[in-house]
Amino acid sequence: MVRNVMDMNAHYGGLNAAFLEEMKSVWVMNVVPIRARNTLPLILDRGFPGVLHDWCEPFPTYPRTYDLLHANGLLSHLTSERCSLMELFVEMDRILRPEGWVVISDKLGVIELARAHATRVRWDARVIDVQNGNDQRLLVCQKPFIKR
């Protein structure tokens, strides 16, 4: 069951809107990366919760953890930053509940790098080709209840 969702690169709050349209009862935290175009006012105007955040820093989560983390295009954006992707994955592991899910959409090269990081934090990971004629892929991961 998914109750708490974080959209790590929320753009305009589309994931939040999609859950509402499908009548899914979930709480979504919309995060706009601090170095991306500031769309937070648009997200807030839609009545969705949201924050600006620098993904090179830890995310303040107490007391909440998340069942699902969604990141569309975030990793491509961060590979040009001063951040380490491994540090980001460790942070994601910290805020993700056991048996929680991570869905990352990005370019093939970045997804392959992300899959390597996902296996280092001991998540079950698989790459899905969206078959739309470009190099976009999905990385779907699950954090196990007990680390192997």
Side-chain angles (χ1 to χ4, degrees):
M1 183 167 116
V2 175
R3 293 172 299 206
N4 295 319
V5 175
M6 178 184 287
D7 192 352
M8 298 175 68
N9 193 15
H11 299 287
Y12 300 103
L15 181 67
N16 201 151
F19 278 124
L20 284 176
E21 187 176 302
E22 292 297 317
M23 308 290 261
K24 301 296 181 190
S25 180
V26 298
W27 184 86
V28 179
M29 172 55 78
N30 296 285
V31 181
V32 176
I34 202 145
R35 289 181 183 85
R37 187 168 154 234
N38 185 3
T39 57
L40 186 59
L42 299 170
I43 291 169
L44 298 176
D45 284 347
R46 296 176 82 177
F48 301 153
V51 295
L52 285 171
H53 181 66
D54 180 355
W55 281 114
C56 296
E57 302 294 330
F59 189 86
T61 58
Y62 183 82
R64 188 176 304 274
T65 56
Y66 293 88
D67 303 303
L68 173 67
L69 302 178
H70 176 262
N72 181 13
L74 178 68
L75 301 184
S76 287
H77 174 72
L78 289 180
T79 54
S80 64
E81 299 285 329
R82 60 181 167 81
C83 311
S84 156
L85 283 185
M86 191 62 209
E87 288 174 6
L88 176 65
F89 272 79
V90 169
E91 178 66 6
M92 291 167 67
D93 188 64
R94 182 187 68 80
I95 63 179
L96 187 65
R97 286 191 178 131
E99 298 186 338
W101 293 89
V102 176
V103 178
I104 301 170
S105 175
D106 221 311
K107 296 179 179 118
L108 176 60
V110 177
I111 288 293
E112 289 300 329
L113 182 61
R115 180 169 52 176
H117 289 307
T119 57
R120 285 189 197 125
V121 291
R122 296 190 174 125
W123 294 345
D124 299 323
R126 67 181 177 274
V127 175
I128 299 171
D129 183 356
V130 292
Q131 299 177 344
N132 60 359
N134 63 24
D135 69 343
Q136 287 293 116
R137 299 292 187 277
L138 287 177
L139 177 63
V140 179
C141 307
Q142 187 176 27
K143 178 180 178 177
F145 186 72
I146 298 175
K147 300 255 182 174
R148 301 179 232 80

